[in-house]
Amino acid sequence: MTLIVLLLGLVALGALAMLRSPLWQWAVGLLVIGVLLRLSAGFAFDFWLLLLLVPGILTALLTVERIRLALFTGPAYRMVKAMLPRVSTTEQEALDAGTVGWDAELFSGEPDWTKLTSIRKLTLSEEEQAFLDGPVNELCAMIDDWDIRHNRAALPPEVWQYLKDKGFLGMLIAKEYGGLGFSAQAQSMVVSKIASRSVAAAITVMVPNSLGPGELLEKYGTPEQKEKYLARLAKGIEVPCFALTGPHAGSDAAGMRDVGVVTYGDYQGQKVLGINLSWDKRYITLAPVATLIGLAFNLHDPDNHLGKGEHIGITLALIPAHFPGVEIGRRHYPARSAFMNGPIKGRNVFVPMEFLIGGTDYAGQGWRMLMECLATGRAISLPAIGTVSIKQALRVTSAYARIRRQFGIPVGIMEGVADPIARMIKSAYTFEAARALTASMVDEGQRPSVLSALLKYRTTEAMRDRVDDAMDIHGGRAVQDGPSNYLFSGYSNTPVAITVEGANILTRTLITFAQGALRAHPYLYKEIAAVQNPDRKQGVREFDAAFSGHIAYMGHNKVASLVHGLTFARFASSPVEGDMAIWYRQLHRYAQDFALVGDWTVVFLGGALKRKQRLAGRLADILSDLYLMSAVLKRYEDEGRIEEDRPVVEAVLADCCASIESSFDAVFANFPNRFLATVLRFLTFPLGRHAKPASDKVNYRMVRAVLRPGAFRDRLTTGTYVSMDPNDITGVLEDALIKVTAAEDAEAKFVRAIKKHVVERRLDRDAIIDAVAAGVLTEDEARLLRIADEATDRAIKVDDFDPEELAPRQLSRAAE
């Protein structure tokens, strides 16, 4: 009986933890369990009964606020104050800048599915769709990427003028100022399609519509600044750049050495209050052609002219490029890419206060302003370039792997070659889903700083891997550069996408989880804010509320993770019924495990979290896999559960589950406290790890489906520019795929005849005529095979040059 009571008591306590019950319910539960345990052994009010009632009595006492503050919350407050890292000013501004949404649901461990399912589907207005179908396609047709990067090292003047005339540089600027006023989704898709043609052109369009003066002026500019500049920016009369990165600061913007001092000086013949500025910036995109420079610097006011103290902080200014003292340096040449990039310097440049973006009211708020713009810009631009690079690599590789034959068969159906193609298929579906979902969040008013950071690093890393896969499959066809090479430009530009807006190493290991834990955790940020409250009495009360909730959260996480692990997520939640429900339940389970492990990691490591970057990086990988699973599930639902796509969806989800379990295993294996690691491992995987990636059989079926023209291949590569121009190399490739597919039956007959020595191989393939004479092919089949053979020759052709053609001309042209 005692054992039964004990087991029932544990179940009851588990239920209280799962429900996050208030303290009085815990007190009642513990008291009842204590009495029942003593009754089961024979009732008597003795020492043992009192001992069994102690937990309930103590819990009951803690329901009294004064006692709880004195005995429990107060000591905890002092311990946490000593343990938790102090949030710096720049960290505080970064945290305040972004918003939390679905990432908070993942951190909670109990995702509210409506927060995911209610996000708007991929939606474009008629005007936006017309722009994609018209000017964007026309621009792509104008672009000769080989000419741009080899002969010119710059976009041709006619392309620049087209960008300006059609409003490409002012997509985010409101219509009232002459801009296009496009949604984030439309901007993302425009940049994406251009990048499928030329990364240099896409970056040129991306920068004015991402982190730059236009967006900063839209959000924070004074009425006079908006009136003066926005219309000119929208029409391309002004070309903007934004100068943030310096030689010594890099990703540590708080450490920038660019300084401005508030003082009086001469401007337009008058003595006015302004700023004496000195700066040294590099890697500034569009700087060589910019007419308007956005500048970030540290502002000091030793005489307190602005009434904000001596050290004001990071501030933003807008300076004409030809302003006296501004020095636009010579061009950088990033990865031999043709987009404009270069250094900017200034020494003792005096600018009036009216040059500050937003005026003096926004002096010192520059980091918050930048973080707000970066959270949205990062969600739009780099995921667009990374995603379309994956899709374009799949588009050309699926065609090439079908038309290129070895050993009498298309190379794509060889299992060794099919494996990387399968990776490309899954990445194309996954990152398009994540790109579209994140852009939709921005259109709903969110500023997803954590999600945009993880998406940037995951998308660009996948871009690098999948382009490498494409290069491997193409072999010699890929490494021979020239007008016919449609891969090499993307390959060489991959490091640019990875490096811009902060190296992926830091984004993964230092920013994503650490910032996410502070921003999206349901209680941690409130606790830190409470212990840093200068009013200690108020801080203790705020901490009491947050800490009490945190304790209940931790208790819930332990029980919920154990239950989900023992039942294989059978009782986890799902917003849908049917076969896909199992994947939502798995996502719920892993989110719960992430909440448990992530919470204890932060609690145990405290301020050391910033130093344990490999551990934080693995937790960032788990969070990003959870987000990618969410995006894939939502895309599948939003597109109407297309049955042909289901194998891809389930393969992606299986891979994510296996990756999540592997990352958890690495966290436990490297956790600093072995006892805590063992406990967390047991709570997370009480019956061991069971997730397995998609099977070879499933992957191979997907590959066979993508090696032919059709809706499946088109959906996987949606948003890429598809040329049917017979003079364009990608058009040649598409044409060859169609013709080779049409001739596949005739080709099979012909290959069999060769193997049986009915037909002899010949270099010029005139053996086809012999095959007809031998009765192997009909005249129509021979014609189809000749057409396919000629198309294949055009598609697999590589370039060769006269030595004089390869003389270095790019830099000399750029210097002219």
Side-chain angles (χ1 to χ4, degrees):
M1 178 61 73
T2 301
L3 182 60
I4 293 174
V5 172
L6 182 61
L7 291 174
L8 291 175
L10 290 175
V11 171
L13 294 178
L16 290 173
M18 285 285 286
L19 297 172
R20 304 186 190 183
S21 301
L23 277 174
W24 70 267
Q25 292 183 7
W26 279 92
V28 171
L30 289 168
L31 289 170
V32 169
I33 292 169
V35 170
L36 291 176
L37 282 173
R38 193 66 190 95
L39 283 173
S40 66
F43 186 84
F45 285 101
D46 55 13
F47 169 77
W48 293 106
L49 176 60
L50 291 175
L51 184 63
L52 291 169
L53 294 179
V54 165
I57 294 170
L58 291 177
T59 305
L61 289 174
L62 291 177
T63 61
V64 180
E65 184 183 42
R66 181 173 297 179
I67 296 175
R68 184 174 68 253
L69 292 176
L71 300 180
F72 183 68
T73 305
Y77 172 88
R78 291 189 292 272
M79 179 183 70
V80 171
K81 188 176 181 68
M83 181 181 66
L84 286 178
R86 182 166 187 85
V87 179
S88 68
T89 301
T90 52
E91 287 175 321
Q92 184 71 53
E93 290 175 343
L95 291 170
D96 292 341
T99 60
V100 294
W102 183 242
D103 45 342
E105 297 303 313
L106 296 175
F107 267 94
S108 76
E110 282 194 310
D112 178 355
W113 296 113
T114 61
K115 299 286 182 65
L116 176 67
T117 58
S118 63
I119 297 172
R120 64 191 290 183
K121 299 179 183 179
L122 192 160
T123 305
L124 295 178
S125 68
E126 291 184 7
E127 181 183 4
E128 290 168 341
Q129 187 62 58
F131 190 81
L132 270 171
D133 295 338
V136 176
N137 278 340
E138 291 171 15
L139 172 65
C140 289
M142 292 172 63
I143 293 173
D144 182 340
D145 193 60
W146 167 256
D147 180 59
I148 288 171
R149 61 190 174 88
H150 179 72
N151 296 323
R152 298 175 179 272
L155 296 182
E158 61 271 19
V159 171
W160 264 109
Q161 195 59 48
Y162 191 84
L163 293 175
K164 295 176 180 181
D165 293 344
K166 297 298 182 179
F168 281 89
L169 306 185
M171 290 189 293
L172 65 78
I173 296 175
K175 291 183 178 181
E176 64 181 291
Y177 295 108
L180 298 180
F182 278 178
S183 65
Q185 191 72 257
Q187 293 175 53
S188 175
M189 294 178 72
V190 168
V191 170
S192 183
K193 180 170 279 192
I194 297 171
S196 71
R197 192 65 167 170
S198 166
V199 173
I203 292 174
T204 301
V205 172
M206 177 189 82
V207 168
N209 293 288
S210 183
L211 177 59
E215 186 174 10
L216 290 165
L217 287 173
E218 279 268 5
K219 291 180 180 293
Y220 313 107
T222 64
E224 294 78 13
Q225 289 171 339
K226 292 180 179 180
E227 192 65 31
K228 181 177 181 179
Y229 288 117
L230 285 179
R232 295 175 62 82
L233 287 166
K235 294 180 175 62
I237 298 171
E238 301 280 5
V239 176
C241 70
F242 193 87
L244 175 61
T245 304
H248 299 282
S251 297
D252 178 20
M256 69 172 66
R257 301 184 183 183
D258 312 291
V259 175
V261 178
V262 179
T263 185
Y264 281 94
D266 292 329
Y267 176 65
Q268 294 182 345
Q270 295 184 341
K271 186 177 182 180
V272 299
L273 185 65
I275 301 167
N276 191 306
L277 272 171
S278 294
W279 72 89
D280 183 5
K281 304 288 190 178
R282 66 180 181 184
Y283 309 152
I284 311 306
T285 301
L286 296 189
V289 294
T291 63
L292 198 59
I293 300 169
L295 182 69
F297 58 93
N298 268 310
L299 182 61
H300 300 279
D301 188 4
D303 298 322
N304 199 22
H305 290 292
L306 302 183
K308 297 186 176 186
E310 181 178 353
H311 303 291
I312 295 178
I314 296 176
T315 302
L316 310 182
L318 199 58
I319 305 172
H322 300 295
F323 196 77
V326 175
E327 180 184 342
I328 304 275
R330 300 196 303 171
R331 282 184 63 183
H332 298 315
Y333 200 22
R336 296 182 64 83
S337 185
F339 70 90
M340 292 293 175
N341 189 274
I344 301 177
K345 295 181 181 180
R347 178 69 63 182
N348 296 322
V349 178
F350 180 78
V351 301
M353 284 297 176
E354 66 189 58
F355 281 17
L356 294 187
I357 297 178
T360 57
D361 289 345
Y362 283 94
Q365 298 188 45
W367 190 241
R368 177 181 64 82
M369 296 158 68
L370 288 173
M371 288 300 98
E372 287 184 348
C373 291
L374 187 61
T376 54
R378 180 186 278 155
I380 296 169
S381 55
L382 291 173
I385 290 177
T387 297
V388 82
S389 297
I390 295 168
K391 294 187 293 185
Q392 181 68 5
L394 174 61
R395 184 89 190 180
V396 297
T397 303
S398 58
Y400 183 80
R402 176 60 187 86
I403 67 174
R404 185 72 170 90
R405 302 179 70 88
Q406 290 281 287
F407 311 111
I409 59 174
V411 297
I413 69 173
M414 299 178 184
E415 282 197 356
V417 177
D419 189 43
I421 297 177
R423 292 195 294 264
M424 296 166 73
I425 291 170
K426 290 181 284 189
S427 291
Y429 191 96
T430 299
F431 290 102
E432 171 58 22
R435 181 210 63 78
L437 174 62
T438 313
S440 289
M441 290 178 178
V442 174
D443 281 330
E444 291 185 342
Q446 298 186 44
R447 300 188 303 276
S449 55
V450 175
L451 294 179
S452 62
L454 72 83
L455 185 58
K456 183 264 178 178
Y457 94 77
R458 285 299 296 266
T459 305
T460 53
E461 288 297 331
M463 169 189 177
R464 169 157 54 190
D465 293 340
R466 300 297 81 83
V467 171
D468 279 350
D469 285 337
M471 295 287 288
D472 288 346
I473 293 169
H474 280 75
R477 174 72 177 83
V479 299
Q480 302 300 332
D481 200 10
S484 298
N485 193 317
Y486 42 76
L487 279 176
F488 197 80
S489 178
Y491 176 80
S492 62
N493 277 286
T494 296
V496 176
I498 288 172
T499 302
V500 71
E501 291 186 11
N504 282 352
I505 293 174
L506 292 182
T507 304
R508 173 181 177 266
T509 62
L510 192 60
I511 297 175
T512 301
F513 177 73
Q515 182 177 337
L518 286 175
R519 194 68 179 91
H521 191 286
Y523 299 103
L524 184 60
Y525 189 53
K526 297 174 184 177
E527 291 168 333
I528 293 178
V531 298
Q532 293 186 359
N533 191 329
D535 185 341
R536 186 181 184 282
K537 187 175 181 180
Q538 180 63 27
V540 170
R541 292 187 178 279
E542 292 174 352
F543 181 80
D544 177 62
F547 192 66
S548 297
H550 196 162
I551 294 298
Y553 171 74
M554 296 176 79
H556 167 87
N557 287 343
K558 294 174 189 175
V559 176
S561 288
L562 181 61
V563 169
H564 290 323
L566 290 171
T567 62
F568 296 103
R570 185 179 298 274
F571 300 107
S573 63
S574 169
V576 302
E577 301 293 335
D579 293 340
M580 297 306 295
I582 187 174
W583 297 110
Y584 284 95
R585 294 192 180 102
Q586 289 299 322
L587 175 56
H588 182 174
R589 174 198 172 178
Y590 291 129
Q592 177 60 72
D593 293 338
F594 175 74
L596 169 73
V597 177
D599 186 47
W600 275 101
T601 299
V602 174
V603 168
F604 181 78
L605 293 178
L609 181 62
K610 290 182 179 180
R611 297 194 303 272
K612 294 293 184 180
Q613 294 175 16
R614 284 174 291 184
L615 204 64
R618 294 179 182 111
L619 288 165
D621 290 341
I622 295 171
L623 177 61
S624 59
D625 276 329
L626 292 171
Y627 183 61
L628 295 178
M629 286 183 72
S630 307
V632 166
L633 285 165
K634 178 166 173 57
R635 177 181 178 181
Y636 186 62
E637 294 294 329
D638 287 350
E639 292 183 351
R641 296 192 177 195
I642 300 170
E643 188 61 28
E644 192 178 19
D645 293 350
R646 180 175 166 181
V648 180
V649 171
E650 294 194 324
V652 169
L653 296 172
D655 286 355
C656 284
C657 289
S659 175
I660 287 170
E661 290 199 1
S662 178
S663 295
F664 271 126
D665 191 59
V667 168
F668 301 144
N670 293 279
F671 203 83
N673 185 292
R674 300 312 308 147
F675 174 75
L676 183 54
T678 301
V679 172
L680 291 174
R681 185 189 292 274
F682 171 74
L683 293 174
T684 302
F685 302 121
L687 300 179
R689 291 170 51 193
H690 292 85
K692 296 180 180 180
S695 68
D696 292 345
K697 185 177 182 180
V698 168
N699 288 334
Y700 190 71
R701 285 177 177 171
M702 293 187 300
V703 173
R704 292 300 295 263
V706 84
L707 294 179
R708 57 192 314 109
F712 180 65
R713 180 170 177 261
D714 290 341
R715 281 195 303 277
L716 288 172
T717 59
T718 182
T720 60
Y721 175 70
V722 179
S723 173
M724 298 307 295
D725 183 349
N727 297 315
D728 182 280
I729 183 56
T730 56
V732 168
L733 196 63
E734 292 291 324
D735 177 66
L737 177 62
I738 293 170
K739 290 174 178 175
V740 166
T741 304
E744 60 187 359
D745 291 338
E747 179 75 20
K749 290 182 181 181
F750 182 67
V751 170
R752 285 197 298 269
I754 290 176
K755 289 181 178 179
K756 292 179 180 179
H757 303 291
V758 175
V759 178
E760 295 298 325
R761 294 182 183 274
R762 294 186 187 177
L763 179 62
D764 58 7
R765 292 273 278 188
D766 281 347
I768 295 173
I769 300 173
D770 297 335
V772 174
V776 174
L777 303 175
T778 66
E779 290 288 351
D780 286 342
E781 288 173 331
R783 180 181 55 81
L784 286 175
L785 198 51
R786 281 196 185 94
I787 292 172
D789 205 47
E790 292 168 359
T792 298
D793 285 343
R794 289 195 299 271
I796 66 173
K797 176 182 176 292
V798 297
D799 299 293
D800 50 58
F801 303 90
D802 184 281
E804 291 299 319
E805 292 182 83
L806 298 179
R809 295 191 298 271
Q810 298 97 319
L811 293 178
S812 61
R813 287 176 64 95
E816 292 175 358

